[in-house]
Amino acid sequence: DRVVDSAADDLERAAEAALRPRRLADFVGQPVVRDQLSLVLDAANARNTPPDHVLLSGPPGLGKTTLAMIIAAEVDGALRMTSGPAIQHAGDLAAILSSLQERDVLFIDEIHRLARPAEEMLYLAMEDYRVDVVVGKGPGATSIPLSLPPFTVVGATTRAGLLPAPLRDRFGFTGHLEFYSPAELEQVLRRSAGLLGVELRGDAAAELASRSRGTPRIANRLLRRVQDFAQVRGTGVLDLAAAHGALDVFEVDRLGLDRLDRAVLQALCQRFGGGPVGLTTLAVTVGEEPETVETVAEPFLVREGLIVRTPRGRMATPAAYDHLGLRPPSEGMLF
Ligand code: ADP
């Protein structure tokens, strides 16, 4: 529902598929991760072995799934996709693991949400290429060790810190994805406009880039809304007027904040006098899950210097009051 929500649902995933870069060379931005990954992949290809397991961390919409697909394409392997919450039982994971072929890339999204037994099975598979398949139930159950062909796990998480150390240690390489700069987002937007076959003016691209919260998924989504606006209420060209029109309709503000972000800020500043306030209390006040507030809204608000996390809870900064057009409480009372 949120035009600047950085998470995607299934419908959106379908719309996104067309805009995904397929090769590392087409992946915009993230110079550090791209360089590190290219080294890991080139070395693996030169040795003709599957690359080491890769962990990708960062907020939603920054390109973790895209990179997993690129890794599979670069090593000429098939991509298998699953997620932590989709694996209910260790048996589900055993079934996936035992069907892997040599060079397959197994992408596990939200890997921090794997249940403990599945997590333990994964350690063994990643380290020894082995899985113990349990046959039968109760006292008669037997465990049959099965060896697996060499494969690569690509794990994605919005919170690398939540991953248990033993699991984290099994990844040979961890890439931290950062928010994109406006210039990088303009590049993403121009590329997407080209793929969609629409004319995007330079000033409109710059405006959208600065309102996309550093996130390619949001940039692409805003682009589609501007395309709608230009077609229905504009001239068909994605110009600055169409960009402003669409941004107004979808209530995206100057910083790219939407309703949820502003609700969080407003609650902090007005209900809780600037904080500190705990995450759960804050989430309940704005009617969202704590995880949504923490992974979707908060990282960007922190990066923009609108809120700070302290051991006692979240606090609003003077910039938050300023952004909402409110008067901050007298100095000294903050922090
Ligand atoms: P995540 O898995 O981190 O939530 P995705 O990989 O699904 O994010 O990316 C979301 C969308 O953003 C995709 O449609 C993709 O086309 C686009 N995207 C992400 N990163 C880039 C990038 N570096 N260059 C171009 N497009 C990107």
Side-chain angles (χ1 to χ4, degrees), residues 78-249:
L79 183 76
R80 304 283 308 269
M81 296 179 76
T82 185
S83 74
I87 296 171
Q88 300 277 327
H89 309 285
D92 300 338
L93 183 61
I96 296 172
L97 290 170
S98 54
S99 70
L100 289 175
Q101 311 280 315
E102 187 161 343
R103 282 179 178 278
D104 278 1
V105 171
L106 175 61
F107 177 60
I108 309 179
D109 202 6
E110 296 185 76
I111 194 168
H112 60 277
R113 291 176 66 187
L114 269 183
R116 182 45 79 83
E119 201 179 279
E120 283 168 3
M121 177 179 282
L122 189 61
Y123 301 160
L124 194 67
M126 289 170 76
E127 191 139 293
D128 299 337
Y129 297 110
R130 218 185 79 207
V131 61
D132 290 324
V133 181
V134 180
V135 182
K137 278 208 161 100
T142 46
S143 146
I144 303 173
L146 190 75
S147 59
L148 304 172
F151 67 101
T152 300
V153 173
V154 177
T157 178
T158 46
R159 300 188 287 180
L162 274 194
L163 226 55
L167 181 56
R168 220 170 29 206
D169 292 347
R170 265 128 181 124
F171 289 95
F173 165 66
T174 300
H176 297 284
L177 299 188
E178 309 284 347
F179 285 115
Y180 292 67
S181 69
E184 289 166 342
L185 289 176
E186 270 192 66
Q187 226 180 309
V188 170
L189 285 161
R190 276 198 298 271
R191 179 179 172 277
S192 300
L195 290 170
L196 293 172
V198 295
E199 186 187 342
L200 174 66
R201 292 277 161 81
D203 48 4
E207 185 68 16
L208 292 181
S210 71
R211 305 250 208 142
S212 300
R213 301 159 116 257
T215 307
R217 169 172 294 137
I218 296 175
N220 283 338
R221 186 185 299 151
L222 288 179
L223 181 68
R224 289 195 295 272
R225 297 296 76 81
V226 176
Q227 186 187 3
D228 295 348
F229 191 96
Q231 187 176 350
V232 178
R233 301 193 192 161
T235 60
V237 175
L238 280 60
D239 54 15
L240 194 58
H244 282 149
L247 290 164
D248 283 348
V249 171

Side-chain angles (χ1 to χ4, degrees), residues 13 16 19-21 26-29 59-67 180 188 191 216-217 220:
R13 291 243 167 228
E16 281 182 346
L19 301 179
R20 261 184 223 287
D26 303 325
F27 192 83
V28 175
L62 298 195
K64 298 182 294 296
T65 308
T66 305
L67 280 178
Y180 292 67
V188 170
R191 179 179 172 277
R217 169 172 294 137
N220 283 338

Side-chain angles (χ1 to χ4, degrees), residues 24-95:
L24 207 50
D26 303 325
F27 192 83
V28 175
Q30 309 292 345
V32 176
V33 171
R34 218 178 37 197
D35 192 40
Q36 293 168 336
L37 207 50
S38 117
L39 186 64
V40 170
L41 296 179
D42 288 349
N45 281 339
R47 287 194 291 262
N48 203 19
T49 55
D52 227 344
H53 307 298
V54 174
L55 181 64
L56 299 170
S57 78
L62 298 195
K64 298 182 294 296
T65 308
T66 305
L67 280 178
M69 292 176 166
I70 288 176
I71 292 171
E74 296 284 347
V75 303
D76 224 357
L79 183 76
R80 304 283 308 269
M81 296 179 76
T82 185
S83 74
I87 296 171
Q88 300 277 327
H89 309 285
D92 300 338
L93 183 61

